[in-house]
Amino acid sequence: FYTVVPLILVLGFFAFTARDQAILETQYDDPDVCVTAIGKQWAWDFQYNDDTANCEAGDDAVWTMGVQAQTDKQGNITTELPTLVLPVNETVKLKLVSRDVIHSFWIIDFLYKKDMYIGKDNYWSFTPTRVGEYDGKCAELCGEFHSEMLFRVAVVSEEEFDAQMEALREAGNVGRLGDELNRYDSPTEGANS
């Protein structure tokens, strides 16, 4: 009894976990929106890629660069957080990239996080179904100001999303965020240091 029952429980937990993980890890081949989320000590950059099939940025990509959150003495955030804007009910593929150390991209209300490694891209596909604003943060201890590596996710209508992309174009935030901001020279070197 003390051997068979725990074995059945463990096998059952494993089966449900494997099933759910397979669903969560499925990547969209041709998403409606592809965004590269770039983690850096201690902020986030978001690049809205024009090549959604390959999730790569070209000349028509638009981007926002974030800064580290600042707080007052009571712990209230006093700066504007980087915001990832996504259209509701559209398929989204995130390409997760790190510029320096290991980070973890976590949208708290989405109940899922993905690690970001230097020199290796990671992906997460999903479809946001509720309009709203959600909090996000780095969930991997990444240095002195890790607790201030915050961002927001705004899930908006398609019209609002298109207006935001046009506003970024008009502001001159067009093109690809280059690798010149990375703090390592090559994927091999970054992975070994």
Side-chain angles (χ1 to χ4, degrees):
F1 177 79
Y2 290 111
T3 302
V4 173
V5 171
L7 183 62
I8 291 171
L9 288 172
V10 168
L11 290 174
F13 291 146
F14 175 78
F16 286 114
T17 301
R19 179 200 65 193
D20 293 346
Q21 185 173 356
I23 293 167
L24 290 171
E25 290 295 323
T26 300
Q27 301 301 320
Y28 299 140
D29 291 330
D30 193 15
D32 297 318
V33 176
C34 184
V35 181
T36 301
I38 303 168
K40 59 185 182 184
Q41 290 180 316
W42 290 275
W44 301 92
D45 299 336
F46 299 113
Q47 178 176 271
Y48 301 87
N49 300 323
D50 51 341
D51 178 2
T52 58
N54 298 312
C55 208
E56 293 296 331
D59 294 336
D60 290 332
V62 295
W63 48 265
T64 62
M65 294 186 79
V67 295
Q68 173 185 332
Q70 301 293 314
T71 57
D72 60 18
K73 291 182 181 181
Q74 290 77 33
N76 300 314
I77 298 170
T78 60
T79 54
E80 187 175 336
L81 295 179
T83 300
L84 172 61
V85 180
L86 300 173
V88 70
N89 296 323
E90 300 283 335
T91 57
V92 175
K93 186 172 188 176
L94 291 180
K95 179 179 180 180
L96 304 171
V97 177
S98 174
R99 288 207 185 277
D100 41 37
V101 298
I102 296 173
H103 297 287
S104 189
F105 187 85
W106 183 27
I107 305 171
I108 300 163
D109 288 334
F110 287 23
L111 302 175
Y112 194 69
K113 70 178 187 78
K114 284 289 265 194
D115 289 339
M116 306 166 80
Y117 306 101
I118 47 178
K120 179 185 182 302
D121 299 338
N122 215 349
Y123 295 88
W124 178 23
S125 292
F126 59 93
T127 303
T129 57
R130 274 186 273 154
V131 171
E133 205 166 274
Y134 305 93
D135 293 326
K137 62 168 93 179
C138 179
E140 182 78 36
L141 182 59
C142 59
E144 182 179 5
F145 298 106
H146 160 71
S147 63
E148 296 172 3
M149 193 170 169
L150 308 172
F151 66 96
R152 290 226 163 77
V153 177
V155 178
V156 298
S157 68
E158 189 174 350
E159 295 77 24
E160 290 175 272
F161 177 78
D162 292 340
Q164 179 65 28
M165 297 303 105
E166 189 56 37
L168 292 173
R169 277 188 192 81
E170 290 173 4
N173 296 359
V174 180
R176 183 180 181 278
L177 288 174
D179 294 331
E180 66 274 2
L181 300 175
N182 291 350
R183 289 177 43 198
Y184 58 88
D185 292 330
S186 69
T188 305
E189 182 180 325
N192 293 329
S193 50

